[in-house]
Amino acid sequence: MTDGYAEKSVELTADELAKINAYTRSELDAEDIYAFNISFCNNDIDRDNEKFSVEALYELAELFAGKTGIMDHSMKACDQSARIYDTWVEKENGRKTADGEDFYILKAKAYMVKNESNSSLITDIEVGIKKGSFRFLLNGQKRLFDMRHRQKFTPLRAYARQKL
């Protein structure tokens, strides 16, 4: 699983609506949907002194498409609240990682159905209360992915690079 940080809502275009409807059983209209951007992982050194390569971020983007978001680490179907319908990797111009590389971040767009049970969650996302509350499942692929694509740094080297 990977954390996602909700950013801002998305105005749906016809292309985005088509991407969403590829995941639904019945066709939805823009009025039925709340869509928002999410910032996921990046290529900076994390608290475990590890990082994703830029190549790994692009591979993760492919893995996240269509995945469901859950609330409070709950694996219950009733706690599934959003689905990712689009992903991309973005370079943040002028920003560097702790070890001096260009900063890249995996981003996504997710959607929820506007209904009574989601209305308070949508409101909380819009006003910034629920920001880091989504986790997205990679169907057991994360451990294998981590072993192949995470780069390990010694704490001393990571600390030294942060001070540059």
Side-chain angles (χ1 to χ4, degrees):
M1 290 185 277
T2 299
D3 287 324
Y5 295 93
E7 291 180 342
K8 50 184 153 177
S9 58
V10 175
E11 296 215 16
L12 294 172
T13 64
D15 181 49
E16 288 175 332
L17 196 54
K19 288 178 184 179
I20 290 169
N21 280 318
Y23 294 107
T24 64
R25 288 184 152 176
S26 58
E27 199 158 309
L28 298 173
D29 295 324
E31 301 81 42
D32 302 324
I33 299 169
Y34 174 75
F36 55 99
N37 288 328
I38 302 169
S39 291
F40 280 121
C41 47
N42 56 56
N43 66 322
D44 207 354
I45 299 171
D46 66 15
R47 65 180 173 222
D48 296 322
N49 296 311
E50 297 177 328
K51 63 181 280 181
F52 285 108
S53 67
V54 175
E55 174 188 301
L57 294 178
Y58 281 99
E59 288 185 39
L60 276 171
E62 291 178 25
L63 292 174
F64 273 115
K67 298 301 183 256
T68 301
I70 59 173
M71 298 295 291
D72 297 327
H73 305 274
S74 170
M75 299 297 193
K76 295 178 186 174
C78 64
D79 292 328
Q80 295 177 359
S81 53
R83 182 173 302 280
I84 295 173
Y85 69 92
D86 196 10
T87 59
W88 69 98
V89 176
E90 188 174 291
K91 178 182 176 184
E92 290 194 11
N93 291 327
R95 187 170 176 188
K96 298 288 185 182
T97 63
D99 59 342
E101 294 181 4
D102 290 333
F103 186 91
Y104 287 83
I105 187 165
L106 171 58
K107 294 197 171 197
K109 291 181 182 178
Y111 73 93
M112 302 169 58
V113 176
K114 289 180 185 174
N115 59 29
E116 191 174 314
S117 64
N118 286 337
S119 65
S120 63
L121 176 57
I122 291 169
T123 300
D124 288 349
I125 292 170
E126 277 297 300
V127 299
I129 293 171
K130 301 276 184 172
K131 201 169 179 178
S133 56
F134 291 96
R135 293 185 66 83
F136 290 83
L137 303 177
L138 289 176
N139 296 332
Q141 298 168 332
K142 185 182 186 300
R143 177 171 290 220
L144 177 62
F145 189 87
D146 278 352
M147 290 180 350
R148 287 189 349 212
H149 295 287
R150 301 271 294 189
Q151 300 168 358
K152 193 89 168 161
F153 291 88
T154 63
L156 183 57
R157 282 179 56 200
Y159 178 77
R161 287 182 175 160
Q162 288 176 342
K163 294 296 180 185
L164 293 177

